[in-house]
Amino acid sequence: MDTFEKFLTPNMLSLTDSYAVKILICYFLNEIDRPVTPVQLTEIATSDGILNYFYYTEAINSMLEAKTIEIKNVDGVDYYSLTEMGKAGAESFKTIVPKSFRDKILSAGLKLFSKLKIEHDVKCEVKQLEKGFSVSCICNDNDIVLMDMKLFAPDELQANLIKEKIMQNPTEFYGKVLNYALDNEQYIPQIN
């Protein structure tokens, strides 16, 4: 006899217990160990169906009241920060939340912060020319310009595709350009 469980997928699982939601949020803030704005945390926690927005909001408000998290303002930007009580709870009770949820929220956080770093370090623009389009790509590492190049595309669709492909993984694109430049050899035609 078939059971309903065969139709469940990991994306269908959800945390509905308020206590588990709070522990998961504390766990994430403890593990990521970096400033997280309220908007960033909302995006991370509710992306990919990790947490229901309403359970998340309820948990955050409760955690602020209970002082397991607090809001710190740094240079005019608000960040969530774990209090000592929140850190202790994250360490002591993390196993109450299934590992799959802990892995999902960490993965979502790492993806978001990676995307933010890429957006900060890599600028890619499409500009229309008299004939065709140019795709300008500038890769920075703090104050150092690693690469500044323009590519030609005959139409806007191709230009946007080039931009999209570069932005999917700019590090690999930069690495391939470097590898090609370093491996490039003088062409010597074969004479038969």
Side-chain angles (χ1 to χ4, degrees):
M1 185 161 128
D2 289 333
T3 63
F4 177 72
E5 283 134 8
K6 74 177 183 180
F7 298 105
L8 292 177
T9 64
N11 292 338
M12 292 173 69
L13 299 174
S14 64
L15 284 182
T16 56
D17 179 78
S18 176
Y19 187 66
V21 171
K22 293 175 195 174
I23 291 170
L24 182 62
I25 293 168
C26 285
Y27 167 80
F28 174 75
L29 290 172
N30 192 48
E31 290 295 313
I32 203 74
D33 194 32
R34 65 170 289 162
V36 181
T37 67
V39 171
Q40 290 169 343
L41 187 59
T42 302
E43 184 175 339
I44 291 164
T46 59
S47 68
D48 297 330
I50 298 169
L51 294 175
N52 174 291
Y53 176 79
F54 298 105
Y55 289 120
Y56 165 78
T57 304
E58 180 183 320
I60 288 292
N61 291 333
S62 176
M63 293 166 73
L64 286 166
E65 285 177 25
K67 300 195 185 331
T68 52
I69 62 170
E70 60 190 0
I71 296 177
K72 289 190 176 177
N73 189 290
V74 179
D75 298 328
V77 179
D78 288 340
Y79 295 98
Y80 283 132
S81 177
L82 276 179
T83 62
E84 289 305 315
M85 183 172 40
K87 287 178 186 176
E91 288 297 320
S92 300
F93 302 111
K94 69 181 179 188
T95 56
I96 289 175
V97 178
K99 184 171 178 358
S100 62
F101 284 100
R102 290 180 289 169
D103 290 347
K104 270 178 128 179
I105 199 165
L106 275 179
S107 176
L110 293 173
K111 283 180 194 172
L112 176 68
F113 292 127
S114 175
K115 177 182 163 207
L116 293 174
K117 178 158 179 39
I118 287 169
E119 288 173 357
H120 179 265
D121 292 348
V122 179
K123 302 291 185 233
C124 206
E125 293 180 341
V126 172
K127 289 186 180 172
Q128 186 168 5
L129 305 172
E130 193 173 308
K131 292 183 180 180
F133 290 80
S134 75
V135 181
S136 172
C137 179
I138 301 172
C139 298
N140 298 302
D141 186 8
N142 295 321
D143 295 335
I144 300 169
V145 176
L146 300 174
M147 180 176 67
D148 184 352
M149 70 184 302
K150 287 185 182 179
L151 301 169
F152 175 79
D155 59 51
E156 189 174 13
L157 180 65
Q158 288 182 41
N160 284 322
L161 182 60
I162 291 168
K163 175 185 175 183
E164 181 182 313
K165 290 293 187 178
I166 291 170
M167 293 305 290
Q168 279 179 356
N169 193 343
T171 304
E172 185 175 343
F173 175 75
Y174 173 70
K176 285 182 177 182
V177 168
L178 268 183
N179 285 339
Y180 182 79
L182 294 172
D183 293 341
N184 194 21
E185 296 179 6
Q186 181 180 0
Y187 173 71
I188 302 173
Q190 301 275 334
I191 300 177
N192 292 329

